[in-house]
Amino acid sequence: MAAAVAVISKENYPLYVKTSSPGNDLKFLYTIHTSLDVIEEKVLTVNKTASDLRELYLGLLYPTEDYKVYGYVTNTKIKFIVVVESSHTTLRDNEIRQMFRRIHAGYADMVCNPFYTAGEVISSKSFEAIIKSIMSTE
């Protein structure tokens, strides 16, 4: 379902990046990097309006010819980015939200591990299994 998944720190460096096709890693890294500007803009807009402080899902950040990029920001400013192929027209907003909830729950479980140091690159096998299940679900 997802072509790429990324976890970005609050200082905007990647903690975790997983792509479905290893040959296109650079293309996805560029897409993820450019989406950070859109995320920052949306977070500033939400903070100014203060409509719903509990809304972490940012929705569709921007579409490209081949992909749609979605974003999610935690309360601690950790950013989750999911890149989905545009050909998945049956994918609904609710399903994207559910993917982000699973990623967020997996991230929270991984951070609660006493052997994980905050800000390190993510190398948890259980987190990796959650991401693989998200990327392989059709």
Side-chain angles (χ1 to χ4, degrees):
M1 189 180 302
V5 176
V7 178
I8 309 294
S9 72
K10 65 180 177 180
E11 292 88 15
N12 289 336
Y13 62 87
L15 297 174
Y16 181 85
V17 177
K18 178 77 174 176
T19 60
S20 60
S21 56
N24 289 337
D25 282 348
L26 189 59
K27 178 181 175 181
F28 286 120
L29 284 173
Y30 176 73
T31 303
I32 290 165
H33 180 72
T34 55
S35 67
L36 291 176
D37 292 332
V38 179
I39 289 174
E40 292 297 323
E41 184 178 314
K42 283 193 174 210
V43 167
L44 288 174
T45 305
V46 168
N47 285 342
K48 287 181 183 175
T49 61
S51 60
D52 186 10
L53 298 175
R54 289 181 272 162
E55 182 60 39
L56 304 173
Y57 176 65
L58 298 175
L60 179 67
L61 300 177
Y62 65 92
T64 63
E65 292 176 6
D66 301 324
Y67 302 102
K68 292 180 181 176
V69 183
Y70 294 90
Y72 184 96
V73 178
T74 67
N75 291 332
T76 57
K77 304 291 188 253
I78 301 295
K79 300 157 197 80
F80 301 134
I81 299 170
V82 173
V83 181
V84 179
E85 293 180 5
S86 293
S87 62
H88 287 325
T89 56
T90 60
L91 197 61
R92 288 177 273 156
D93 201 46
N94 201 20
E95 293 168 340
I96 299 290
R97 285 178 189 262
Q98 188 62 30
M99 285 184 353
F100 280 120
R101 284 189 196 110
R102 289 179 57 203
I103 294 170
H104 193 175
Y107 178 78
D109 289 344
M110 190 253 336
V111 169
C112 289
N113 182 347
F115 298 107
Y116 176 74
T117 305
E120 279 186 0
V121 174
I122 298 171
S123 60
S124 169
K125 291 181 181 178
S126 60
F127 186 76
E128 180 80 22
I130 290 170
I131 300 300
K132 282 184 180 179
S133 71
I134 288 172
M135 294 182 79
S136 65
T137 305
E138 289 289 337

